[in-house]
Amino acid sequence: MARIIVITSGKGGVGKTTTSAAFAMGLARKGLKTVVIDFDVGLRNLDLIMGCERRVVYDLVNVIQGEARLSQALIRDKRADHLYVLPASQTRDKDALSMEGIESIFDELKKTFDYIVCDSPAGIEHGAFMAMYHADEAIVVTNPEISSVRDSDRILGLLASKTKRAAEGLEPVKEHLLLTRYSPERVQMGEMLGVEDVQEILALPLIGVIPESQSVLAASNSGVPVVLDEKSDAGQAYADIVARFLGEEIPYKFIDVQKRGIMSRIFGG
């Protein structure tokens, strides 16, 4: 049975779409048939980060409204045989999403996919509610700043009370914490919250820490999920997140200030 994973946050601009693309690609590279769905109707970005924007013919809303079959809207990734993208509409309103339509799409996807990754809009509006309602698990993405963490706490309240699992009295949505744009040096200087601070506020198990990295922007601009940049720190961090999600014991990197070697201290490297 397919698992539905929602990538969510309370605040915009924290890296949800980057995470959705990298996480879905990471699962597919493990041989798991994965589809990633863009729920941000009207502000479509997932197709850009996945590098398939020129291949979009039909979208999520077209399928819901019966204007196209699901098979016509799914875009197969050219770099991973097991990965598909279902783009959002760029011209419709979020109200075009219906509970019945989304449920029908999930029911069909569950027949052939191992994982359904939902790239949620930020906040608590209609699209975000649709993205999280059927979730089995949630990756809550936050930056290490108090406003982002506080907004994430609101999302946790919705995950606990406004999902299908909550409505039917089933086991709660399994929640994971992902910290993005993390800088140990800035934490040390008191400019941002540390990992322990965020965990204490949100009381969530940590699945990963993504360091502040230029490779994220470079990958997004080139339409390549950053997890494919195996030499970059962010790429390695996303690969570790996928491995942890699948049950591997992986030590955390990029959460401590790196000690400089004697030569770099002498020569200022």
Side-chain angles (χ1 to χ4, degrees):
M1 178 62 77
R3 298 283 285 176
I4 300 175
I5 319 299
V6 63
I7 312 296
T8 185
S9 76
K11 188 178 177 68
V14 299
K16 282 186 309 303
T17 301
T18 295
T19 297
S20 297
F23 184 69
M25 177 63 77
L27 290 172
R29 294 181 81 204
K30 293 282 189 180
L32 299 161
K33 194 169 183 183
T34 304
V35 57
V36 56
I37 305 174
D38 190 347
F39 275 85
D40 203 355
V41 175
L43 294 171
R44 187 174 78 200
N45 283 313
L46 178 64
D47 57 313
L48 291 171
I49 292 181
M50 294 298 297
C52 63
E53 68 277 7
R54 295 182 180 179
R55 299 170 61 203
V56 175
V57 178
Y58 296 108
D59 56 53
L60 177 62
V61 174
N62 290 140
V63 178
I64 288 174
Q65 297 191 345
E67 298 162 351
R69 297 188 305 275
L70 180 59
S71 59
Q72 292 177 301
L74 288 172
I75 301 171
R76 187 172 184 172
D77 190 272
K78 293 181 177 180
R79 297 153 299 200
D81 291 339
H82 298 288
L83 181 59
Y84 291 76
V85 179
L86 181 55
S89 172
Q90 204 168 14
T91 58
R92 307 290 183 92
D93 187 83
K94 291 179 174 62
D95 291 334
L97 299 178
S98 68
M99 189 64 72
E100 297 78 13
I102 296 298
E103 188 164 11
S104 176
I105 287 173
F106 282 154
D107 287 344
E108 190 168 346
L109 292 173
K110 285 178 179 179
K111 296 174 185 176
T112 53
F113 286 90
D114 298 308
Y115 287 99
I116 302 168
V117 178
C118 303
D119 180 22
S120 171
I124 56 176
E125 45 88 359
H126 183 67
F129 176 70
M130 289 289 173
M132 74 170 61
Y133 184 76
H134 291 88
D136 298 306
E137 303 192 43
I139 295 179
V140 180
V141 184
T142 185
N143 293 154
E145 57 183 56
I146 193 64
S147 62
S148 181
V149 173
R150 182 180 62 185
D151 288 348
S152 294
D153 196 43
R154 297 179 68 195
I155 293 298
L156 296 180
L158 293 179
L159 289 169
S161 62
K162 299 295 183 182
T163 61
K164 184 177 181 180
R165 285 180 168 271
E168 297 180 357
L170 302 175
E171 183 179 342
V173 174
K174 186 176 181 181
E175 299 161 344
H176 311 271
L177 172 64
L178 175 61
L179 269 178
T180 56
R181 296 178 182 164
Y182 192 80
S183 168
E185 292 79 13
R186 293 180 64 190
V187 171
Q188 193 174 65
M189 292 186 289
E191 295 178 357
M192 63 172 54
L193 298 174
V195 172
E196 298 81 4
D197 301 320
V198 179
Q199 282 188 282
E200 184 176 345
I201 296 168
L202 296 179
L204 286 183
L206 184 70
I207 196 170
V209 176
I210 308 299
E212 260 183 337
S213 174
Q214 289 297 319
S215 61
V216 172
L217 180 60
S220 296
N221 286 339
S222 59
V224 177
V226 69
V227 72
L228 294 178
D229 184 0
E230 298 176 353
K231 294 182 179 180
S232 72
D233 47 6
Q236 294 170 35
Y238 274 115
D240 288 350
I241 287 165
V242 173
R244 289 190 196 99
F245 180 82
L246 296 175
E248 295 182 41
E249 294 287 336
I250 306 289
Y252 289 91
K253 309 182 186 81
F254 315 117
I255 61 175
D256 298 314
V257 176
Q258 295 296 307
K259 294 182 178 179
R260 297 165 66 196
I262 186 169
M263 297 303 290
S264 64
R265 291 198 300 271
I266 292 172
F267 295 104

